[in-house]
Amino acid sequence: LERHRRRVSDGSFDLEYRGRESHNVTTKRILIVDDEPMLLQALSRSLRAERHRWDMVFARGGTEALGELAKGNFDVVVSDMRMPGIDGAELQRIVKERHPDTRRIILTGHSEVEALARAAAVAHEVLSKPCAADLLRVAIESAPPRDST
């Protein structure tokens, strides 16, 4: 396991854990996207126990997430619904179009019918925020690992 800390353009943190594949065990690649640095940090802490099994990358917003997706494939993309610029539904629509085998999960703290309908149209799951770490783990675990061939 390697831990990388990068500085983002606005000077805030960007943390990613890069797991390694070993002995026929495929590491799941997980992209977690939120525009709030404190929420990303909280998700990083709550999922820390999984870092030996998951290659987790944390992106601050939709634009940064698209950059990470351009670098490589992910098994799961977890995104906040409300983000400036590219919101969660738009990001997941792009993921669905470009990476149809990627499991898509949207986290939302809002219950507007229109927003939920947009999220449901592009995501495999829509979870309410705050989301218990165990519930998020189950949602991520339900994604099949990517084909490494």
Side-chain angles (χ1 to χ4, degrees), residues 76-122:
V76 181
V77 175
V78 178
S79 71
D80 185 24
M81 179 63 181
R82 289 223 173 168
M83 298 184 290
I86 301 171
D87 71 4
E90 177 63 13
L91 173 64
Q92 297 290 21
R93 184 195 65 74
I94 294 168
V95 172
K96 181 179 181 179
E97 181 181 290
R98 296 180 187 172
H99 308 277
D101 294 333
T102 297
R103 185 158 185 83
R104 299 171 305 279
I105 301 169
I106 292 181
L107 303 176
T108 184
H110 305 280
S111 59
E112 292 112 14
V113 174
E114 180 184 335
L116 290 174
R118 287 182 59 231
V122 294

